[in-house]
Amino acid sequence: MADLRVKFCGLESPNPFWLASGPPANTAGQVMRAFDAGWGGAVWKTIGEPIVNTTSRYGAIDLNGVKVMGFNNIELISDRPVEDNLREIYEVKKRYPKHLVVASLMVESKRESWHEMVRRAEDAGSDALELNFGCPHGMSERGMGSAVGQVPEYTEMITAWVKEAARTPVIVKLTPNVTDIARIAAAAEKGGADAVSLINTINSLMGLDLDTFAPRPVVRGKSSHGGYCGPAVKPIALHLVSSVAKKVRIPISGIGGVGYWNDAAEHIALGAATVQVCTAVMHYGFRIVEDMVDGLSQYMDDHGFRSIEDFRGRALPNVLDWGDLDLNYKIIAEINSDLCIGCQLCYVACEDGAHQCIAPHSAAGNGKRNVNGKGVHVPRIIEEECVGCNLCALVCPVENCITMKEVETGLPPMSWNDRMRQLAAGHGRALPPTPGEH
Amino acid sequence: MPLRETAPKLPPEQYERNFADIAPRMTRGQAVVEAARCLYCFDAPCTLACPTRIDVPAFIKKILTGNLRGSARVILEANILGESCGRVCPTEALCEGACVMHEKGEQAIEIGRLQRYAVDYVLDNNIHLFHAGASNGKRVACIGSGPASLACAAELAKWGYAVAIFDRNEIPGGLNTYGIAAYKTRAADSLREVELVRQLGVEIRQKTEVGRGISFAEIEKQFDAIFIGVGLGETWTLGLPGEDLYGVYGAMEFIEQTKVKAFQDVEVGRRVACIGAGNTAIDVVTAARRLGAEMVYLIYRRSEQEMPAFKYEYELAKNDGVVFLWQTQPVRVLGREAAVTGLECVRTKLGAPDARGRRSPVPVPDSEFTVEVDMVVSAVGQGPVTDFLRVVQGIELRKDGTVVINDRHQTGNPKYFAAGDCANGGKEVVDAVAEGMAAARGLDAWLGSPRDRLKPQMNTDKQRQI
């Protein structure tokens, strides 16, 4: 049985699954129920001077009947008094000493205000601090949240202020709404941050009611841009986690699109030491952690990983710049006609949407019939034309029906950068030889 | 004259439950989830399997995007009776039978129900999708108001023809109104579709029998062309002794009772035997059970394997608790005081295959037995109603009464066109619609239309086929 315990900035967490700072970690009652359900830690909903929220606050996009593919919010930080939040943190820590409670903080950008808040949070017993430099809506208009996290100098400065007062590890939460997140992460590291967490939500406008032209989530016919999250953002989060992991030496807590154990495993393989989850809990409740723990253990057992460290960051060396990819690697598509159901989605996708390398079924057909005796139209890959783009395999609705098989080119690996170096040295030619050319 | 014993009366709400819609209307949520399952096949096999070539993936995609009006337009342009076809088509033999999901090991997309969902939206909201074309000054009469005539009339009206439908019945719709099992569609449902055709300016004259109420000479004078879509007529009799006893019904006549009367007023025996094993026989036995008959027998000369009813239909009857007497041939109807008391039958064995490859049943000597019933329904097919056409010069009828037509649906008399059951001998509603539309194209060409509509509208996908 794999050991899911993780060390994060010297703190031990029973597993890498933490509640992210957000509505699920708003009260002691919620956090304790989450710990009972199996969560290893919780980053409290951001504490600061109480605010007033709007109704409504949340928006979602559904895809073809599947609910909440993407989610956004225009909710602000905790609307409860600071002392209530801190008293509850104290109570939770007293009852759950082995679980991690991280206080997420956001105050006005004054040194004394940060010092004061840091002291109070640590006095309440929080294990670590997370600085909310990421909130993209509302608070940023008041000079907080992403207004800090979008400027490397501010990030470094405020991190340094916090470090002056902090006795516990300081995690800086990063906003993705920047050109180069790794630069901000480096600034946090320079300011003394013990860790970074990312990504916070992405600036978004969820859509419109096309009858009233009210944006969503609607607040008396109007709305504002809000923070986008949920399953749809995982690819963005994975990219940013990997780019930060390559840039800084401090630990990373991965956030963004984690709903299942495999999402978490991807974050970890790209360098995250823990993962944080919010939207999936908002959709299904704390119980989802059971399969996260179970599934991740199974996966680790299957691969012989005894601890999270055994595979953390393992995929990072495989994330390269495009210029370092091997241009002499060639794959082409192959259709398994036994599995083909004759939908011809691969044909139309390739013909209209890609590179015209699939022929529709011939008029005569290949004689394949379905259970009702109706003809099944199996398309054909034009192998000499196939550029190996994957599109047909991606749109094929049948598992393993279209596979990409490697074609031996007989050429040694060569990347674009290799080629440029060769050219610079006076060897080779700018364009590769075309088929039939010798 | 009463039946010897009638089925016990049920509470009124029980009848409604028994005849409740067998494939009820989908909710928006159900429709979206089902529509999302559709793979949106290219050159889709479901469309190729539909006699009216409805672009199924296109209309399903439109349900998903919330464009129900567009979805209904795709359906109704190809098939003006798309709502009832969604209810009554044997979809497992047509579109749903061709669905690629079978190959995927999954349930076929519920195309029929989705189709109905989309069309119901425009019917419920009284949205007029089509309008009569600018008048071309030509007039066409359609005889009969069933699916073939309605489809033909709608096409012609859209192209600018003035169309009048002549129908001998009290209410329009033909088979769709009178002859479909009540749990699939009610007369009122059929009439909503008739309204779609009427909205195109088509005039419908009820209780008008051509050749009697109005003469052929008169019709030929008033109209430039005449379309015949009269369908089939009464159920064939069994040719058995005792058939004149009270309690012997034809299948269509019995079904009609369930469509035009309140269910509690439909006469049904406590025990009922139905002869035949086609889809109409299934309509009869299921209706009898749902009306409260306690014992219902389906009697067929051949075996289960030769049963012509679709599997889906057979399942309905099995679920309704119908008793199947296979390889059983009725010999005479028994009665007392002029009312049916039973049916004398004989066992059969299957002999040599007939012309169609079906093995002929041969009676087994000394195997006679009696089934005690109060009612006998014949469901051995319908006879023709084309006799009235014999006075029209040039129209040729086959031995079975079907009208002879060419590939443009034109009869031996060039002014007359025909389609649907009266020409094809009896097929599905969707076939009648497809043929009625084809006849409209043939008629349009014959009347010298400047537009060439003879080629059916090809799916654009098809044109790209190599």
Side-chain angles (χ1 to χ4, degrees), chain A residues 129-400:
Chain A
L129 308 172
E130 186 180 82
L131 313 187
N132 182 341
F133 292 171
C135 179
H137 50 264
M139 305 311 290
S140 54
E141 296 168 21
R142 305 176 198 175
M144 294 179 267
S146 64
V148 176
Q150 283 172 335
V151 182
E153 292 77 13
Y154 294 170
T155 303
E156 182 186 339
M157 178 178 70
I158 296 179
T159 305
W161 291 346
V162 170
K163 282 299 289 180
E164 290 164 4
R167 290 162 284 146
T168 60
V170 173
I171 307 164
V172 172
K173 185 164 178 177
L174 301 175
T175 174
N177 302 306
V178 292
T179 313
D180 181 4
I181 199 170
R183 218 180 128 199
I184 313 288
E189 186 178 37
K190 200 169 163 204
D194 298 287
V196 287
S197 56
L198 69 153
I199 56 176
N200 205 311
T201 53
I202 304 167
N203 264 331
S204 59
L205 198 147
M206 278 316 265
L208 298 177
D209 178 326
L210 284 173
D211 293 323
T212 64
F213 294 96
R216 287 193 292 264
V218 183
V219 181
R220 202 186 289 281
K222 319 277 192 232
S223 191
S224 182
H225 70 88
Y228 191 47
C229 53
V233 311
K234 187 180 77 173
I236 298 168
L238 292 180
H239 161 59
L240 297 181
V241 164
S242 69
S243 64
V244 168
K246 286 176 173 235
K247 183 87 170 184
V248 301
R249 292 158 185 271
I250 51 179
I252 294 170
S253 186
I255 312 169
V258 178
Y260 303 105
W261 65 265
N262 12 11
D263 304 321
E266 288 174 303
H267 271 268
I268 292 167
L270 288 169
T274 65
V275 292
Q276 300 185 24
V277 181
C278 179
T279 313
V281 171
M282 292 180 75
H283 196 165
Y284 297 113
F286 297 126
R287 60 196 166 131
I288 59 169
V289 75
E290 191 277 330
D291 187 61
M292 288 182 171
V293 169
D294 186 31
L296 188 64
S297 311
Q298 293 286 343
Y299 164 78
M300 288 169 63
D301 288 346
D302 291 347
H303 289 78
F305 302 140
R306 278 165 307 175
S307 73
I308 297 287
E309 275 311 304
D310 280 359
F311 74 104
R312 190 176 67 81
R314 195 177 261 234
L316 265 184
N318 297 334
V319 181
L320 300 180
D321 285 344
W322 190 95
D324 292 325
L325 298 177
D326 180 9
L327 299 174
N328 285 340
Y329 170 70
K330 183 161 170 62
I331 54 172
I332 61 171
E334 186 174 56
I335 298 174
N336 180 335
S337 60
D338 290 340
L339 294 176
C340 177
I341 61 174
C343 67
Q344 300 211 78
L345 289 176
C346 57
Y347 162 69
V348 75
C350 186
E351 183 70 10
D352 290 3
H355 304 97
Q356 301 81 47
C357 320
I358 300 182
H361 73 97
S362 62
N366 64 350
K368 190 173 178 185
R369 306 242 148 226
N370 82 359
V371 286
N372 297 311
K374 311 266 187 193
V376 176
H377 300 161
V378 182
R380 179 175 62 80
I381 304 287
I382 307 166
E383 294 195 355
E384 57 277 21
E385 298 286 334
C386 179
V387 302
C389 73
N390 279 351
L391 181 64
C392 54
L394 294 174
V395 301
C396 177
V398 181
E399 205 174 353
N400 299 326

Side-chain angles (χ1 to χ4, degrees), chain B residues 172-196:
Chain B
L175 178 89
N176 273 8
T177 300
Y178 289 101
I180 310 269
Y183 48 78
K184 288 184 185 166
T185 177
R186 302 285 176 92
D189 299 318
S190 165
L191 295 179
R192 293 210 303 172
E193 283 188 317
V194 172
E195 277 316 298
L196 280 183

Side-chain angles (χ1 to χ4, degrees), chain B residues 119-160:
Chain B
V119 181
D120 274 344
Y121 172 78
V122 296
L123 293 179
D124 291 352
N125 293 289
N126 201 22
I127 294 167
H128 294 203
L129 292 172
F130 307 109
H131 303 282
S135 172
N136 63 7
K138 298 205 167 87
R139 297 172 56 77
V140 177
C142 295
I143 309 176
S145 74
S149 265
L150 291 171
C152 178
E155 288 291 272
L156 293 172
K158 284 194 260 183
W159 301 336

Side-chain angles (χ1 to χ4, degrees), chain A residues 116-133:
Chain A
E116 166 74 4
M117 185 57 96
V118 165
R119 186 186 56 73
R120 293 174 73 186
E122 289 185 341
D123 286 350
S126 63
D127 295 297
L129 308 172
E130 186 180 82
L131 313 187
N132 182 341
F133 292 171

Side-chain angles (χ1 to χ4, degrees), chain B residues 415-443:
Chain B
K415 198 163 180 169
Y416 288 80
F417 292 73
D421 285 356
C422 71
N424 68 30
K427 287 166 97 173
E428 301 300 328
V429 171
V430 67
D431 294 302
V433 172
E435 293 171 18
M437 293 171 77
R441 293 190 291 270
L443 191 154

Side-chain angles (χ1 to χ4, degrees), chain B residues 259-323:
Chain B
K259 301 304 290 279
V260 299
K261 284 183 175 171
F263 293 121
Q264 58 262 35
D265 298 335
V266 179
E267 183 175 56
V268 64
R270 190 165 73 84
R271 292 163 301 184
V272 178
C274 176
I275 322 296
N279 295 313
T280 304
I282 302 291
D283 287 354
V284 168
V285 293
T286 53
R289 279 290 290 149
R290 288 159 196 242
L291 287 167
E294 291 171 358
M295 282 300 291
V296 176
Y297 304 93
L298 186 146
I299 296 176
Y300 185 46
R301 296 182 298 165
R302 295 183 169 88
S303 75
E304 192 178 359
Q305 281 75 43
E306 286 84 15
M307 180 184 205
F310 290 117
K311 184 168 175 287
Y312 169 79
E313 298 287 328
Y314 180 29
E315 291 298 320
L316 288 179
K318 283 202 279 195
N319 289 337
D320 277 3
V322 169
V323 177

